[in-house]
Amino acid sequence: MSAPLVVSDLGKIYEAGDKKIHALSGINLEVNAGEFVSVIGQNGSGKSTLLKIVAGVIAPTSGNVALDGTASYMPQDHALLPWRTVEENLLLPSDIRNIPRESMRKKVGDLLAEFSMSEYAGLYPASLSGGMRQKIALLRTALQDHPLLLLDEPFAPIDAITRLEMQSWLLSLVGKMHSSVLLITHDIREAIFLSDTIYVLGRAGTIKEKIAVPLPRPRTHEHLQTPEALALEKKLFTLLV
């Protein structure tokens, strides 16, 4: 199978009056089948712009994005519809594509049961915790059955303890759905824990370095205390300052 995503010499320029702002320049990036790739960088480095271009939300100024198939995009806001129950939110992608609901209800039910979440099916988003809302949004993204998931800081609004649990949960979801992932994050340890490969963006919207994560799978948070992980954390911190 070819790589689900290949980004070639990508550039993005925003115009503000007479000024031109180079958000991205010369970006080359690849996500292979079954690979978990993270992009990290400081605020203003172009991380979200990159993901929006790959998702087709905005157009690049130059370069090319080659997708083998289609991708599912989850923005920073979970975007759950407050007037729909959890089950109805999970059925939303199939509703949009005019797929008969009955053919999807079992799939939704099975996935909720797989992750011990069946009790939430009839609840509305307002009654859920922040972590649970993010889980539902991630399930909805994965249920679209696209080979690539595009995730823009999905754990940013979650407290630190819940975030750790959510990171492990995401790996189990990705493993079950056999998905490739492109994740945007500003969290160094999160990137190390989740990823096979990390791209570091500099302030100028260029890739400073591509790094393979030397940790085994399956992975636990204890792996973050190994000498290899600690050395990588130090290196990434140095690249970002």
Side-chain angles (χ1 to χ4, degrees):
M1 177 181 176
S2 59
L5 173 66
V6 178
V7 174
S8 305
D9 202 25
L10 195 71
K12 179 63 179 179
I13 299 174
Y14 291 107
E15 295 188 5
D18 295 333
K19 295 183 179 180
K20 291 186 176 181
I21 301 171
H22 292 260
L24 296 171
S25 180
I27 300 294
N28 292 287
L29 177 150
E30 185 172 301
V31 179
N32 294 305
E35 186 179 21
F36 199 120
V37 174
S38 289
V39 176
I40 64 172
Q42 295 188 8
N43 290 337
S45 60
K47 303 187 303 296
S48 291
T49 295
L50 171 62
L51 202 69
K52 287 176 181 177
I53 291 174
V54 173
V57 176
I58 60 177
T61 305
S62 59
N64 183 60
V65 174
L67 280 170
D68 182 18
T70 51
S72 301
Y73 171 54
M74 179 179 165
Q76 290 184 25
D77 183 355
H78 59 73
L80 297 178
L81 300 180
W83 58 86
R84 282 183 174 239
T85 64
V86 165
E87 181 187 51
E88 290 168 342
N89 266 287
L90 293 176
L91 288 169
L92 181 61
S94 56
D95 287 348
I96 292 172
R97 291 181 288 172
N98 293 316
I99 298 174
R101 276 195 164 200
E102 290 311 310
S103 67
M104 287 298 295
R105 283 189 190 278
K106 184 178 187 307
K107 187 172 184 178
V108 167
D110 288 346
L111 195 60
L112 286 171
E114 174 75 18
F115 291 102
S116 302
M117 296 166 61
S118 299
E119 64 187 282
Y120 300 102
L123 300 182
Y124 290 89
S127 64
L128 305 176
S129 67
M132 187 57 64
R133 285 194 290 269
Q134 293 304 103
K135 281 187 176 181
I136 299 303
L138 284 164
L139 281 179
R140 185 176 64 184
T141 304
L143 270 167
Q144 297 177 46
D145 276 338
H146 296 157
L148 177 65
L149 303 182
L150 306 173
L151 309 178
D152 193 353
E153 301 203 50
F155 307 136
I158 300 174
D159 65 85
I161 299 300
T162 305
R163 187 175 186 133
L164 295 178
E165 186 268 332
M166 287 289 295
Q167 291 165 1
S168 297
W169 184 87
L170 175 59
L171 288 182
S172 65
L173 174 64
V174 169
K176 177 174 177 57
M177 304 303 288
H178 305 290
S179 302
S180 306
V181 180
L182 179 60
L183 170 79
I184 300 300
T185 182
H186 65 274
D187 188 321
I188 292 174
R189 291 172 66 84
E190 179 170 276
I192 294 172
F193 176 66
L194 293 172
S195 308
D196 301 301
T197 304
I198 299 172
Y199 288 85
V200 182
L201 282 185
R203 285 189 179 274
T206 59
I207 293 176
K208 296 180 73 172
E209 195 157 344
K210 173 186 176 182
I211 301 171
V213 177
L215 300 182
R217 292 197 185 277
R219 199 170 289 174
T220 68
H221 282 96
E222 283 69 29
H223 285 110
L224 294 175
Q225 302 305 317
T226 62
E228 295 83 2
L230 293 172
L232 178 54
E233 183 178 355
K234 182 178 179 180
K235 179 176 181 178
L236 289 171
F237 180 81
T238 301
L239 287 168
L240 289 174
V241 295

